[in-house]
Amino acid sequence: MELPTFAAFVTSGLEDIAAAEIKASLSGVRILETRQKVVLAEAADPRVFKNLRTIDDVAIVSALSSSVDSLEDLITLIASGADLNETIAIAGRADIFEDAFSVTVSAAHTAYGPGKVIEEAISREISKRYAWQYIQGQRAAIDVRVFIDGTWAVIGIRLYDEPLSRRTYRTANVRGSLRPTVAAALVRLAVVDGKRHRVWDPFCGSGTIVCEAAAMDHEVWGTDIDPEAVDASRENISAVNHAYWGRIENADSTNLKTWQRHRSATAVVSNLPWGKQVAIKSKQALYTSVSSGVAELGRRGGTGVLLTAEPQPIVQRLSREPGIRLDEQRIGLLGQTPTILIVRPVR
């Protein structure tokens, strides 16, 4: 019996990390293909994806084509290639279906109109074919997910009421708060050996990275110079593990003394302050402390994973440091292409 196909939607640049999490966490799941922002996989049970942390959302695929050259081709794919009733049943969502649906469109590198035009055309075709009511401006219990990249298109039904990227612990936010799925991916990059680590975020903001690390059962510490961020981080981490509330401190991590206090960390994972979102007193001090701190950590056998919109000053400093290896990985986030810097010991 042929297994259903699922599309896991991820942040651009993190597809391999998401695919690795799927392989490591889920039995009976086979990766079919990895594309930009999408991992396709086969699975017998749609519920298995529920606890993945690097996946933004999941849909069960109803139809897929690599030759959708026009809006008319997309409509034809819906009319002749997709059986949404069957997809809804396989997804286990038939019991909540009340003949109403919404449409979510993601489209890139396509010449047949913006997302709104595509959404309207799709909703008209589905309403005509199935006699369902289209709900505009909000998500219905049955949400038709359409993803288009050039001529490659996938149509499916979202599996869950809420996106997987939504976290119940996240009740407090500050400017520059990181997307939880990206935070989870950064932690997974830092701890590839399957062991329990001591994770420190020197610029923790609202605590998304420490919350994700704690949810993966690592020990965590967080530091921020902004008292408002410390309060937010403490509130959020308390929802994951209240024992870590006291490990969030108000301190300046551009000061090397702060790094010395956290020498017990085996992994440093941080979203460095972005100039447009968070005020930075001294970029020079930031780059110096971070570069020196993660280089020293790497020489001790630890790993540093840093997300930054301005990698070059840190790369220049780290390239002069002995005993470490530096890797770079670009992602797409908030309309920008920040870089993940990964510092590991030379083996």
Side-chain angles (χ1 to χ4, degrees):
M1 180 180 176
E2 186 175 339
L3 296 178
T5 299
F6 297 87
F9 301 103
V10 304
T11 297
S12 177
L14 300 178
E15 296 86 0
D16 288 345
I17 300 171
E21 183 189 16
I22 292 172
K23 290 178 181 178
S25 306
L26 307 180
S27 60
V29 176
R30 184 168 72 94
I31 301 295
L32 299 175
E33 183 180 3
T34 300
R35 302 181 59 92
Q36 186 176 22
K37 296 186 179 183
V38 182
V39 178
L40 294 179
E42 280 184 344
D45 187 349
R47 296 170 297 180
V48 297
F49 297 94
K50 185 68 173 178
N51 295 318
L52 295 176
R53 305 202 71 85
T54 63
I55 308 298
D56 291 322
D57 212 352
V58 183
I60 182 169
V61 175
S62 184
L64 186 152
S65 175
S66 60
S67 57
V68 178
D69 296 307
S70 65
L71 191 57
E72 290 72 22
D73 288 345
L74 185 64
I75 297 305
T76 299
L77 182 64
I78 295 171
S80 60
D83 187 339
L84 296 181
N85 277 316
E86 181 182 2
T87 308
I88 290 169
I90 297 172
R93 301 187 68 80
D95 58 334
I96 63 171
F97 186 34
E98 297 179 347
D99 293 340
F101 73 102
S102 55
V103 176
T104 299
V105 174
S106 300
H109 313 115
T110 177
Y112 49 92
K116 191 63 178 176
V117 171
I118 298 170
E119 179 182 334
E120 290 173 353
I122 290 170
S123 62
R124 284 196 300 269
E125 178 61 30
I126 292 175
S127 294
K128 181 177 71 174
R129 185 178 182 203
Y130 296 95
W132 297 346
Q133 180 185 358
Y134 171 52
I135 305 296
Q136 189 174 12
Q138 60 181 329
R139 179 191 278 193
I142 298 301
D143 187 63
V144 179
R145 186 70 162 88
V146 180
F147 181 91
I148 306 165
D149 185 8
T151 63
W152 191 85
V154 61
I155 300 165
I157 299 294
R158 267 180 162 152
L159 281 185
Y160 308 115
D161 293 331
E162 300 287 349
L164 290 186
S165 58
R166 190 160 297 171
R167 303 291 200 256
T168 56
Y169 68 73
R170 194 161 172 167
T171 58
N173 285 292
V174 295
R175 286 178 300 172
S177 292
L178 188 62
R179 185 183 298 171
T181 50
V182 176
L186 297 181
V187 174
R188 289 188 66 86
L189 276 173
V191 291
V192 297
D193 57 7
K195 298 179 180 178
R196 191 169 191 247
H197 281 258
R198 300 165 70 87
V199 179
W200 175 46
D201 182 353
F203 305 94
C204 67
S206 63
T208 309
I209 288 173
V210 293
C211 287
E212 290 300 313
M216 299 179 199
D217 199 33
H218 298 294
E219 293 187 76
V220 301
W221 286 261
T223 304
D224 205 283
I225 197 171
D226 181 3
E228 180 185 349
V230 171
D231 289 342
S233 186
R234 285 174 172 172
E235 180 178 330
N236 290 334
I237 194 64
S238 293
V240 180
N241 188 334
H242 186 71
Y244 292 141
W245 185 95
R247 294 187 180 182
I248 308 299
E249 64 173 342
N250 185 201
D252 182 4
S253 292
T254 64
N255 189 323
L256 288 175
K257 291 182 179 179
T258 305
W259 287 78
Q260 287 297 315
R261 289 202 304 273
H262 290 278
R263 279 180 57 84
S264 64
T266 58
V268 168
V269 185
S270 195
N271 173 29
L272 299 186
W274 294 21
K276 292 183 180 180
Q277 296 176 295
V278 180
I280 303 171
K281 288 184 178 181
S282 171
K283 287 187 177 181
Q284 181 76 17
L286 173 70
Y287 299 146
T288 298
S289 67
V290 167
S291 301
S292 300
V294 296
E296 199 267 339
L297 171 68
R299 286 190 287 270
R300 294 201 317 267
T303 303
V305 175
L306 309 170
L307 179 65
T308 176
E310 298 178 342
Q312 206 54 41
I314 300 176
V315 170
Q316 289 174 353
R317 287 167 170 81
L318 289 174
S319 64
R320 300 191 293 265
E321 295 282 354
I324 61 169
R325 188 183 91 220
L326 175 64
D327 296 309
E328 301 179 45
Q329 186 169 331
R330 285 285 184 91
I331 67 171
L333 189 64
L334 301 174
Q336 300 186 57
T337 54
T339 299
I340 302 173
L341 302 177
I342 308 160
V343 177
R344 294 190 176 98
V346 172
R347 299 297 187 190

